[in-house]
Amino acid sequence: MDEKIEQQIETKNLNVTIDNNHILKNINVKIPAKKLTAIIGPSGCGKTTLLKSFNRLLEIRDDVKINGKIIVDNINILSPKLNVPDIRKKMGLLSQKPYPLPMSIYENVAYGLKIHHRISGKKLDETVENCLREAGIWGEVKDRLHDPASKLSVGQQQRLCLARAIAVQPEVLLCDEPTSALDPIAAQQIEKLLDKLKKDFTVVLVTHTLRQAKRLADYVIFLYFGYVIEQGPANQVFDDPKQPETKAYIKGDIS
């Protein structure tokens, strides 16, 4: 990475073992701030494991062992002295399938605002509206804000979850194949939103679709069997890959 580009996340010799399986092996990556970084690679190569290490979500399992460093804003977030909820507040998460809270559309967005920012009344209403507008769903829900979120379509639920994620003002959006459960039109809506949101957030996208990575990514990390094989600006990785495994994956010889 060009040293002039500000980095948001850096890993140093990161190793992750789950149920005695060595999933991530000596991972050293640098993720630039306010860019979209795509993590690509075959199924089972460790993409989601790497993503979830960034907000310490892996640690909800007892059989996980992690060593090395994950530096976010010059702080090693794996330090036992840190408050994990504070780390997760910095890292919004958009999962493969949308998981709206079992409450109204409005309350899905307002919930985190009330807890983390302690706002109420007109200010809360304005902030909820702004987040729904940012997520491109306001026009579809403004007249039914107090309906259950479960009544929304899957694509709308995913955009609601995106609104909920950005409401607490994270620094990073971690996206784990966020369009894989969506129809092509809904997927395109999410892609457009991520492309827009990278102006304000660092976006880290796990994707199994090379076409999507080529459309969206500024920076690319290629994982293979738990190792980082190649990383760099998207145009360099896709147009002039240095490693034979990267070339084979981009050609479709590895799936």
Side-chain angles (χ1 to χ4, degrees):
M1 185 187 303
D2 187 337
E3 293 301 323
K4 295 178 182 177
I5 296 177
E6 180 188 357
Q7 65 192 46
Q8 183 89 50
I9 302 171
E10 179 180 6
T11 68
K12 296 183 177 181
N13 298 320
L14 178 67
N15 286 271
V16 175
T17 301
I18 301 176
D19 192 24
N20 294 320
N21 294 313
H22 196 175
I23 307 297
L24 296 180
K25 303 161 186 174
N26 297 319
I27 301 294
N28 292 281
V29 296
K30 294 182 179 181
I31 292 176
K34 295 188 178 177
K35 303 284 184 184
L36 192 148
T37 295
I39 304 175
I40 64 173
S43 296
C45 68
K47 300 187 297 293
T48 294
T49 300
L50 179 59
L51 188 82
K52 290 184 176 181
S53 72
F54 295 151
N55 67 352
R56 292 181 60 171
L57 198 58
L58 295 176
E59 296 170 43
I60 62 176
R61 295 180 53 163
D62 293 332
D63 59 352
V64 173
K65 295 179 181 178
I66 304 174
N67 58 58
K69 292 182 178 181
I70 302 174
I71 310 296
V72 179
D73 298 332
N74 298 313
I75 296 171
N76 178 20
I77 65 167
L78 295 180
S79 169
K81 298 178 181 178
L82 295 184
N83 185 20
V84 174
D86 288 343
I87 296 167
R88 291 182 182 150
K89 182 174 174 289
K90 279 189 172 189
M91 308 279 187
L93 179 65
L94 199 60
S95 301
Q96 280 185 332
K97 295 180 180 179
Y99 293 102
L101 300 172
M103 51 185 68
S104 72
I105 295 166
Y106 178 95
E107 285 298 330
N108 260 269
V109 182
Y111 183 76
L113 289 165
K114 291 175 182 177
I115 293 175
H116 294 292
H117 299 289
R118 300 184 184 278
I119 59 176
S120 58
K122 186 177 179 181
K123 177 66 174 174
L124 180 61
D125 293 342
E126 290 174 350
T127 307
V128 169
E129 177 178 342
N130 288 339
C131 292
L132 291 169
R133 285 186 183 276
E134 277 283 283
I137 194 176
W138 171 253
E140 298 163 49
V141 302
K142 62 182 180 181
D143 297 323
R144 49 178 179 146
L145 291 174
H146 300 291
D147 287 358
S150 58
K151 289 188 174 182
L152 296 173
S153 70
V154 174
Q156 288 172 327
Q157 288 182 14
Q158 191 67 304
R159 282 181 284 149
L160 177 64
C161 290
L162 183 56
R164 187 179 71 201
I166 63 177
V168 296
Q169 299 174 3
E171 295 179 13
V172 179
L173 285 175
L174 304 174
C175 305
D176 186 12
E177 298 190 22
T179 63
S180 63
L182 307 182
D183 64 74
I185 293 174
Q188 188 178 53
Q189 289 174 318
I190 291 292
E191 284 191 9
K192 287 180 178 179
L193 288 168
L194 294 179
D195 194 48
K196 181 181 75 170
L197 289 170
K198 71 183 183 183
K199 297 180 180 67
D200 300 308
F201 303 93
T202 298
V203 181
V204 186
L205 171 70
V206 165
T207 179
H208 66 288
T209 306
L210 269 177
R211 292 189 304 277
Q212 184 176 71
K214 289 177 179 178
R215 284 194 296 269
L216 296 177
D218 301 296
Y219 196 80
V220 173
I221 297 167
F222 173 53
L223 288 181
Y224 191 52
F225 287 113
Y227 292 98
V228 173
I229 302 300
E230 191 158 351
Q231 62 181 309
N235 56 357
Q236 178 253 299
V237 173
F238 288 129
D239 299 337
D240 186 25
K242 306 303 182 189
Q243 302 303 321
E245 297 92 341
T246 316
K247 293 177 183 177
Y249 182 71
I250 291 171
K251 283 178 61 181
D253 295 338
I254 297 174
S255 60

